[in-house]
Amino acid sequence: MSDQFDLGALLEQAKALQAQLEEAQETAAQQVVEGQAGGGLVKVQISGSLHVEAVTIDSGAIDPDDVTLLEDLVVAAVNDGLTQAQNLTRNAIGDIGLGGPTGLLGQ
C-alpha cells in the first residue's frame, strides 16, 4: 500500500470530468424550452445555449392602446424561458456530480 499521491490518476479523473461536463453542456444546448407569460398569450422558445429561437404572440395579447402590457408580457416570457434554459444546464451538470451545494463547482 502506497502513501504517495497519484497526480496522474487525479489528472485522468479531471479529464474524464471535463469530458462529461462538455457533453452535458452540449446536450443541454441542443434542447429547447418554452417560456410563457399571460397564461400562454406570449410564448418564447429558448435553446439551452440561451438563444431565443421563436416568439409567439396570441392576438388576444395585442391591444394597440396598451403596448406596455405586451412589452411586459414579452419580457416576462423571455425571463421564464431563460430560467428554464439555465436549469437545463444546471441539471445536466448536477447529473454528473459537479453542481449542487456540495458539488465540485459549489453551485
Side-chain angles (χ1 to χ4, degrees):
M1 189 168 169
S2 173
D3 289 334
Q4 292 186 346
F5 181 73
D6 189 351
L7 184 58
L10 181 61
L11 288 174
E12 286 302 314
Q13 285 181 320
K15 286 180 185 178
L17 281 174
Q18 181 179 7
Q20 288 177 319
L21 177 61
E22 288 172 0
E23 183 179 336
Q25 289 173 325
E26 184 177 316
T27 299
Q30 294 173 1
Q31 295 180 25
V32 176
V33 296
E34 182 175 89
Q36 297 186 26
L41 290 175
V42 176
K43 299 176 183 178
V44 295
Q45 292 184 345
I46 300 180
S47 71
S49 59
L50 306 181
H51 289 107
V52 175
E53 302 289 329
V55 176
T56 305
I57 301 173
D58 186 277
S59 61
I62 301 171
D63 180 356
D65 296 325
D66 194 0
V67 175
T68 303
L69 175 63
L70 179 57
E71 292 170 342
D72 291 344
L73 289 173
V74 170
V75 169
V78 169
N79 286 334
D80 181 46
L82 287 172
T83 297
Q84 292 183 46
Q86 290 169 334
N87 285 337
L88 282 175
T89 301
R90 189 172 294 119
N91 291 338
I93 291 171
D95 288 346
I96 59 173
L98 295 178
T102 59
L104 183 62
L105 298 180
Q107 295 181 1

